[in-house]
Amino acid sequence: MTQKKYSFSGHESFSCKSLWLKKGFDFVANEIDFNAPEAVVALGVGKNMVSAIRFWMRAFGMTESDTLTPLSYYLLDSESGKDPFMEDLGTLWLLHFHLVYNSEATLYNWFFLHFQKERKHFERQHVVSFVHRKLTEFGKQNLYNENTVKKDIGVLLQNYIVPEKVQGLDDYSSLLIDLDLLRQSEGKSYVFNIEGKRRVPSEIFLYAILTMKGADNTVSYDILQDAGLLFCMNDMEVIAMCREIEANRPDSVKYSDTAGVRQLLFINNLNPLDVLNEYYG
């Protein structure tokens, strides 16, 4: 996916809380403007949190230009939505995929798809230096602000890690904590939790591949590896997942490993939405 712009702020230093996307969906569905004075009352949060909810709705692909997306209706609609209160782990994986793949919040895309290739164990400063290097590579070093990047990294870690010192229930309320993708290691270091994370449902992995591959019927191992990085899977897990998808859909998908060339072949067109319907069915 082509990076259109680079953004490391907008969340007002708030991680995304468990019910914020549903709150945001109902708010936008009721045709209230995020800039309206009544937004604070309608959402039941402070002014900065209104901005944060607006940001996370966009980052998770629930809105575009403050308009609800088909995905948001599919998941969050009170009557027809598959999982309005995000109680299913597969929904969290799906949201994580869109957060990383959308690139609306630049750090998440860079962190999982690029930084992770370099380090599985890291400290915050490693991520700061990485962001600075990437922006310099793209000739965008004028966009680099160390304090902004540090805050963004702090929020990313809050989104995925249960804090060591829990002050209250709110510390457990970040939306993606249950995925267990990142853990705090010794001292101030962190680790991508490759071995201990929760398992990605094969339908969600297939949905991700279908979304990432575009019109191509042959999916190279580079794309499969990117999907693996996105879900913090090692190569063996990616291959096992491809074989499972093939076993579940022998008429539609073939996994090929010939002469060291690994790829996924789509014989029939699969609709990503149909795959999600199977999962939620």
Side-chain angles (χ1 to χ4, degrees), residues 139-242:
K140 300 286 186 183
Q141 55 267 46
N142 60 313
L143 296 178
Y144 178 75
N145 179 303
E146 186 162 316
N147 285 336
T148 302
V149 170
K150 282 182 174 176
K151 283 178 186 172
D152 203 18
I153 293 163
V155 170
L156 182 148
L157 295 172
Q158 282 174 36
N159 269 322
Y160 290 96
I161 299 175
V162 176
E164 276 195 315
K165 294 175 183 173
V166 177
Q167 306 292 322
L169 281 176
D170 196 48
D171 289 340
Y172 287 109
S173 71
S174 291
L175 181 61
L176 301 173
I177 278 178
D178 283 350
L179 295 180
D180 203 10
L181 284 180
L182 301 173
R183 286 187 179 175
Q184 191 148 3
S185 190
E186 300 87 34
K188 294 181 178 179
S189 65
Y190 302 87
V191 60
F192 287 94
N193 185 27
I194 309 296
E195 305 304 327
K197 65 178 182 305
R198 311 292 287 275
R199 188 178 184 279
V200 186
S202 64
E203 295 90 347
I204 303 299
F205 187 84
L206 177 56
Y207 169 89
I209 295 294
L210 290 168
T211 306
M212 294 167 79
K213 79 177 183 65
D216 295 337
N217 287 329
T218 302
V219 181
S220 71
Y221 200 65
D222 286 346
I223 291 177
L224 296 176
Q225 278 187 311
D226 275 354
L229 283 167
L230 198 151
F231 293 118
C232 290
M233 295 160 68
N234 61 35
D235 271 7
M236 297 305 292
E237 286 179 286
V238 172
I239 293 166
M241 186 67 79
C242 289

Side-chain angles (χ1 to χ4, degrees), residues 81-95:
K82 299 293 184 185
D83 190 13
F85 298 102
M86 290 157 287
E87 295 162 310
D88 190 303
L89 197 67
T91 303
L92 299 187
W93 281 118
L94 183 61
L95 290 168

Side-chain angles (χ1 to χ4, degrees), residues 93-109:
W93 281 118
L94 183 61
L95 290 168
H96 165 75
F97 166 72
H98 279 283
L99 174 63
V100 176
Y101 186 67
N102 286 349
S103 302
E104 187 72 38
T106 305
L107 181 63
Y108 293 77
N109 183 280

Side-chain angles (χ1 to χ4, degrees), residues 248-260:
N248 291 341
R249 293 173 174 78
D251 297 331
S252 302
V253 189
K254 295 282 182 219
Y255 174 67
S256 163
D257 186 350
T258 311

Side-chain angles (χ1 to χ4, degrees), residues 30-66:
N30 286 325
E31 299 183 353
I32 309 171
D33 191 318
F34 280 105
N35 294 316
E38 63 266 27
V40 169
V41 176
L43 284 165
V45 296
K47 191 176 178 185
N48 285 2
M49 286 188 184
V50 171
S51 298
I53 291 172
R54 185 183 197 178
F55 169 83
W56 289 120
M57 288 290 286
R58 196 167 67 245
F60 279 104
M62 299 295 105
T63 56
E64 282 178 20
S65 304
D66 290 339

